[in-house]
């Protein structure tokens, strides 16, 4: 079983903002469901820059199977940009967290950019070595990336090709 939010085409993009709670909140769905969240603007308007922050985190996932986050822009949320506290594995590639859609203008989340609890995960992949697979995580008030319970979990973590604390051009 799988749940997909968004898609490759601009017409499939969701613009999720100005919620009095979180942007996307998934929980109590069971570990057999895989989630793909792709090419959405969460906390910004359809232009990819106007602030439309959600009152809590942009994306919150508390259970499930494989969680795949690809090419999303998650910014200006009052909580963390992305909070993953459940799931069997995580793949996050090509996201902009805490910037506008260009990846060059600060639009930070109030807490962390990416918060992950590794205790229940079999693997975590953040970024990649191919063009466009790295994430830009910048301008958030708290840590850019916080991975909790790593020692307790023994989870293998790959962290490749990301821009943390700077823009997607590597210098801004």
């Amino acid at each position: 079983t799988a749940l997909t939010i968004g898609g490759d085409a601009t017409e499939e993009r969701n613009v999720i903002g100005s919620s009095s709670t979180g942007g996307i909140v998934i929980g109590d769905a069971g570990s057999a469901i895989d989630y793909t969240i792709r090419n959405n603007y969460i906390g910004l308007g359809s232009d990819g820059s106007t602030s439309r922050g959600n009152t809590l985190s942009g994306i919150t996932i508390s259970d499930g199977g494989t969680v795949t986050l690809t090419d999303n822009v998650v910014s200006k949320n009052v909580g963390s940009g992305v909070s993953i506290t459940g799931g069997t594995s995580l793949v996050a590639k090509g996201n902009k967290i805490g910037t506008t859609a260009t990846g060059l203008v600060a639009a930070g989340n109030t807490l962390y950019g990416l918060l992950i609890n590794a205790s229940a995960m079999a693997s975590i992949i953040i970024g990649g070595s191919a063009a466009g697979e790295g994430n830009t995580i910048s301008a958030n008030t708290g840590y850019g990336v916080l991975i909790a319970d790593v020692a307790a979990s023994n989870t293998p973590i790959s962290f490749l090709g990301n821009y943390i604390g700077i823009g997607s051009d590597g210098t801004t």
Side-chain angles (χ1 to χ4, degrees):
T1 305
L3 170 66
T4 300
I5 300 172
D8 292 331
T10 302
E11 299 80 31
E12 297 174 310
R13 172 183 297 139
N14 296 290
V15 179
I16 302 167
S18 302
S19 168
S20 62
T21 60
I24 296 173
V25 180
I26 300 172
D28 298 326
S31 62
I33 297 177
D34 294 332
Y35 304 115
T36 299
I37 301 174
R38 180 172 185 79
N39 193 26
N40 299 288
Y41 288 171
I42 303 165
L44 296 175
S46 60
D47 62 359
S49 64
T50 302
S51 178
R52 297 282 184 255
N54 298 291
T55 302
L56 299 174
S57 294
I59 300 172
T60 301
I61 299 177
S62 60
D63 68 357
T66 298
V67 176
T68 304
L69 307 173
T70 309
D71 299 325
N72 298 288
V73 181
V74 187
S75 300
K76 297 304 264 184
N77 297 289
V78 176
S80 294
V82 179
S83 177
I84 309 289
T85 59
T88 56
S89 62
L90 170 66
V91 177
K93 295 184 178 185
N95 300 287
K96 293 177 179 72
I97 302 173
T99 71
T100 62
T102 65
L104 301 174
V105 178
N109 297 288
T110 302
L111 293 176
Y112 309 113
L114 180 57
L115 170 63
I116 304 166
N117 184 330
S119 65
M121 295 197 176
S123 68
I124 297 171
I125 300 170
I126 302 171
S129 56
E133 289 185 336
N135 299 286
T136 301
I137 304 172
S138 190
N140 300 288
T141 304
Y143 297 109
V145 178
L146 175 61
I147 303 174
D149 292 330
V150 174
S153 69
N154 238 356
T155 302
I157 300 171
S158 296
F159 200 86
L160 304 165
N162 300 288
Y163 293 103
I164 309 296
I166 57 175
S168 59
D169 61 357
T171 58
T172 304

